Amino acid sequence: MSEEKSWVTDLGDGTHQVRTCVWSPPGDHPVGCGIIVTVKDNKIVKVEGDPTHPITHGRLCPRCIALDEVEYHEDRIMHPMKRAREDRGKDKWEQITWDEAFDLIESKTREFWANPGPESILTFTGTGREITMYSAAYCHAIFNSPNYCMTLSGGSCYGPRCTIANFQLGAGYPELDYAAYFPDRYDDPRWECPKYILVWGKNPIYSSPDGFFGHALVDLMKLGSKLIVVDPQVTWIAAHAEYHLQLRPGTDTALALAMCNVIISEDLYDHEFVEKWVYGFNEFAECAAEWTPEKAGEICWIPAETIQGAARAFATNYPSSALWGLSIDTMTNGVQAGHTFLAICALCGYMDIPGGITLARPSSFTGKWRYETVNSVPDEIRAKRIKDLDGKYKCWDAAGPGPLPDVTLDWLEMENPPTQFKMSYWFGTNPLTCMAASPKRWEKALNKLEFNVSQDIFMNPSIMALCDLVLPLSTSVEHEGIVMPHFGRNTHFLGAMSKAIEPLDSKSDVEIMLELGHRLRPELWPWQTPAEFFTDQLHTAYDWGFEDLQEMVVYQQPFEYRKYETGKLRADGNPGFDTPTGLIELKSSIYPVFGEKALPYFEEPYFSPYSDKIDQEVKDEYPLVLTTGGRNIAMFHSEHRQVPSLRAINPWPLVTINPDTALKYGIEEGDWVALENPIGRCVQKAHLSPTVDQRVVHAQHAWWFPEQDGESPNLFGTYKANVNNLIPHEVVGVTGYGAPYKNVICKISKVDDLDS
């Protein structure tokens, strides 16, 4: 490789080093960790952290360190493969060429375009991977379909928080100010260290979610930031917090309203900010008045004085900041929880200030192109998008680029749906294992389709069960790309993914996208290479292109605080926030249009020990609260189960049980345990720990076993330990957003083994 490239260093003897940023595949959130890859004879010799990366400073998670194990794993999909539809569920794959694979996709697409129409093609996206940035375009600008889908009930990952932020703030993703915009980081004179950080339903050191580099939290703790942690588990950060609000899963809105009650009733709020930049304060204050710490504490299982102390500490220590996590998305009452979380931050005046919560416009340089591809679908076809026939989910239908996942399943299960579905195309998803509530229903529904395609790096249970064609993806060190934290919604930096080694017979998501675009809708795809595509996108915001980004490796965006004062948060350039009122809306002017209340409210989870929607005998039989989804640092959702060093860190699916609860049920450390509720069942290994309440159990999610028989019905054991077996279908909020992935009831019992 040429030493003229600044990111490449020639070490002699045929060895060189490449500085690059990683995203996926394999899976990870868009943190864009900086790595140095040592290469000899097109083989990875070593992966290490890049100490010059301005955010990660040479630190890496185990997943980055294990990249070579992924790269050279014997089970990696290395060539396109197809099989007959009647062989679904069987390991009867036939290796084919890329041309044959593309020919097959093109012929099937054109067949279904002709009859019954483009709307008969569904695309399914997953979470976290690079393809997230381009998946909508695959659906609209390649397949000419309006049906851009997920299988995640209530769209319960990131999307709800983004929509809440759009509606309440008219801004992109709100993020903790950890000086990520500044080359000299914490030494920049514009920045101030947050006094307190409110971490709500997030464990960033283990998950680095959505592009936030989790270990920055440790940096800030060393600089003096104190933590207030809202989490039903005693995580590492909760153990190091000044206040740990160990709430009952699913009661976040009650807790947030009580904190607002304290801040308002004790006159701790920022009067100047509220009077100038907040809408609906009086009505919101009246709403919060009934939520005393005592009332909320009884519901949330938290002492009233702990709620009071946390609220006072946060409100009286300027500046402070906050992080919100997946728990906001994974509850039916999540829109109200997110609304009230943002209200806490607004009441204290911490929005877009040094050491507070950074804000940005809600799109990146690719944002305009991505969402304009929706307009490439003709109106008469767009009108055939899957929608709730009763008109219940007006908010989702207005805000989302695709149908509500729950309604998609409803349509697929119909004997005679309004559209006859023929084909699905998947990217970045293993739905039966990771995303789908009631996954066996999804398997049966998707099996009706005539042609299913996935692109991935490893075989997984969903592909084995349902797909007729699989395309092999290149890893992030085998292709070119761009990393955008927060998927472009608060992009403090752009990172270049530069190719370190040449792939054998795999392609990147973007390479596949361009090829299919050229074949199916060439008028929309003028770019010949990924680099050309990236350069064109960059030119919408910058006067430099992809090769320039490669030279920089990382580009930190210019940033200014208090953009609401200078019109930098509004499309029209006027001061304020890009909402109908021009203000942060504590009372929403948008929700009532969609049949939702303008002010937040607490709603007891449907499947809870206190719900009035289920019979007492059911609650008596299933007395425990089941929460799930907590991260393990070795794995990303359903990925990495076959990587030896990572599997060694977390070899089995674990359910964490309080020792007193385990004693009651005769369960010991390492026992296999069945978790059951009226919806389903799974089996996991017991881990006894006082980090969970005696009334709560925490189960890991997205488990399967690559070492087991992959053929149907076993499908690598995906249903055995799958906690999503216990998650209901379509128990979502009024808006359609949010589902109870983290708050249902269950019972536990000791069993002999995983197959019991």
Side-chain angles (χ1 to χ4, degrees), residues 409-468:
L409 179 58
D410 292 341
W411 279 43
L412 285 168
E413 290 182 326
M414 289 180 191
E415 195 165 320
N416 293 297
T419 293
Q420 295 299 314
F421 300 112
K422 297 292 185 178
M423 171 180 166
S424 72
Y425 194 104
W426 312 352
F427 15 67
T429 187
N430 177 8
L432 303 185
T433 303
C434 185
M435 299 183 77
S438 306
K440 289 186 178 179
R441 288 176 60 180
W442 275 100
E443 182 187 353
K444 185 177 179 181
L446 289 169
N447 201 32
K448 293 180 181 179
L449 304 181
E450 290 185 23
F451 187 57
N452 295 320
V453 184
S454 183
Q455 50 195 56
D456 219 312
I457 52 174
F458 287 108
M459 182 60 59
N460 64 44
S462 304
I463 295 172
M464 183 65 82
L466 294 164
C467 287
D468 310 298

Side-chain angles (χ1 to χ4, degrees), residues 164 200 250-254 256-257 324 327-329 331 333-344 600-601:
I164 294 163
W200 200 297
T251 62
D252 303 58
T253 307
L257 282 165
W324 56 348
S327 68
I328 299 291
D329 303 331
M331 66 179 100
N333 195 219
V335 166
Q336 290 69 41
H339 183 154
T340 320
F341 167 86
L342 292 179
I344 293 170
Y601 56 90

Side-chain angles (χ1 to χ4, degrees), residues 560-575:
E560 65 178 83
Y561 292 109
R562 296 183 176 89
K563 290 182 286 296
Y564 49 83
E565 295 181 347
T566 58
K568 299 291 177 61
L569 287 180
R570 289 182 59 90
D572 60 13
N574 291 323

Side-chain angles (χ1 to χ4, degrees), residues 704-724:
W704 60 293
F705 306 91
E707 68 274 15
Q708 289 196 13
D709 178 17
E711 292 195 331
S712 183
N714 190 60
L715 297 175
F716 302 106
T718 190
Y719 292 124
K720 297 176 183 179
N722 193 337
V723 73
N724 285 357

